[in-house]
Amino acid sequence: MARGVTTVLVGASLLTGCGSKAAYVHEHPPATALPPGQGGDHLVLRWQMTAGIGGLGGPGTIPDFSLYADGTAIASEGPGKSSPLKRYHLKQAAAQKLFDEAGKAGLQRSRKIRYNHLIADANVLVIWMGSARTEVVMPQEQHVAATAMWKKLQPEQWPAADQLSPPDVYRPERLAAIASETSEHPAPPGTVPWPLSPLGTSQRADQRCQIYSGKDATRLRELASKPDTRFSIDGKVYVVRIRPLLPDEKSCDPLG
């Protein structure tokens, strides 16, 4: 099951490959995972489905699932959907059990579990535990400890008895505006100047990014209701994608 939703302006499509069952593992030196019990912004486990011809899980995409040390989990609803992010509240004992099981599944060591067939549009599951990164090519066809653990990180299947309270909507205090330059020249009709404080530079030359909060975040949500708007910034035309920030995301840098 793959999720991956950015709140506005762009969507993603999901294509799956097919093949037979077989895997081999490339391992790398172990990495240290974040210990539990250190607060709501300390990420312990995260997964995201990537690749595919549709560009699933590309730069700026919200991770499908994130679980924090205090038992808070934030999950998207599904690929290409614009529904809000859901927040779950695991009891500490239930969260600790998942952390322990993830360690036993080998997720504290970075590795890549390949597939024995070359499939151009193959999905790749990426699971992070602390700084360790596990990649599984064609996870739907792989019967390994990492994919067994992935199936346990599907919060809609968690028993109510493991949760402190029912799931609710994740309402981020901070939003990122990710502006991508277009090739449109001259600017099309309806192009308007960027109405908020200037956008900063990004890791990509054709992108700009800025974090907004408070009244600016409210204004940004209003802009999200007009997904076809073009904005002029320093004489160039941009489309802008609004990206909610998760608790551990402090800047534009990890958004790619």
Side-chain angles (χ1 to χ4, degrees):
M1 178 183 310
R3 311 185 194 89
V5 182
T6 302
T7 301
V8 297
L9 307 191
V10 295
S13 61
L14 171 65
L15 292 175
T16 58
C18 58
S20 60
K21 310 167 187 175
Y24 60 92
V25 175
H26 284 278
E27 295 199 355
H28 301 280
T32 302
L34 291 170
Q38 292 190 358
D41 62 347
H42 283 73
L43 180 70
V44 181
L45 287 167
R46 168 170 285 163
W47 71 261
Q48 183 170 1
M49 195 68 71
T50 67
I53 291 176
L56 184 67
T61 303
I62 298 175
D64 297 289
F65 171 89
S66 301
L67 178 59
Y68 295 87
D70 67 346
T72 299
I74 298 172
S76 58
E77 290 286 84
K81 297 181 181 179
S82 58
S83 52
L85 296 170
K86 255 188 168 180
R87 185 175 59 172
Y88 296 80
H89 310 274
L90 272 183
K91 294 178 180 177
Q92 191 64 53
Q96 186 62 57
K97 182 180 179 182
L98 289 175
F99 301 154
D100 293 342
E101 291 177 344
K104 292 176 182 177
L107 297 184
Q108 288 178 310
R109 179 181 294 274
S110 294
R111 56 182 177 163
K112 185 166 186 176
I113 303 174
R114 300 183 182 274
Y115 196 62
N116 71 337
H117 290 277
L118 294 177
I119 302 174
D121 63 339
N123 285 344
V124 179
L125 169 67
V126 183
I127 307 178
W128 292 267
M129 185 172 188
S131 59
R133 175 188 173 106
T134 298
E135 296 184 20
V136 186
V137 180
M138 287 296 291
Q140 306 92 326
E141 304 296 327
Q142 303 268 29
H143 301 288
V144 294
T147 56
M149 189 65 220
W150 167 51
K151 293 174 182 178
K152 294 180 181 181
L153 301 179
Q154 310 289 338
E156 70 278 3
Q157 300 175 12
W158 289 344
D162 287 347
Q163 302 179 52
L164 290 168
S165 58
D168 54 19
V169 175
Y170 174 63
R171 303 186 186 279
E173 296 180 356
R174 297 168 301 127
L175 300 174
I178 304 173
S180 299
E181 184 180 340
T182 75
S183 59
E184 296 166 310
H185 185 78
T191 300
V192 296
W194 179 245
L196 299 176
S197 58
L199 293 161
T201 58
S202 179
Q203 296 182 24
R204 291 172 46 182
D206 61 344
Q207 269 193 357
R208 292 171 176 248
C209 182
Q210 189 68 34
I211 306 299
Y212 296 98
S213 59
K215 293 181 179 180
D216 283 343
T218 300
R219 176 66 177 128
L220 208 53
R221 291 185 179 94
E222 294 173 359
L223 295 178
S225 65
K226 303 174 182 178
D228 296 324
T229 303
R230 297 294 192 267
F231 297 96
S232 60
I233 304 171
D234 295 339
K236 298 179 181 179
V237 178
Y238 288 80
V239 293
V240 177
R241 178 159 48 100
I242 312 320
R243 163 69 150 79
L245 291 184
L246 297 176
D248 62 294
E249 295 173 332
K250 307 302 183 184
S251 71
C252 284
D253 292 343
L255 307 184

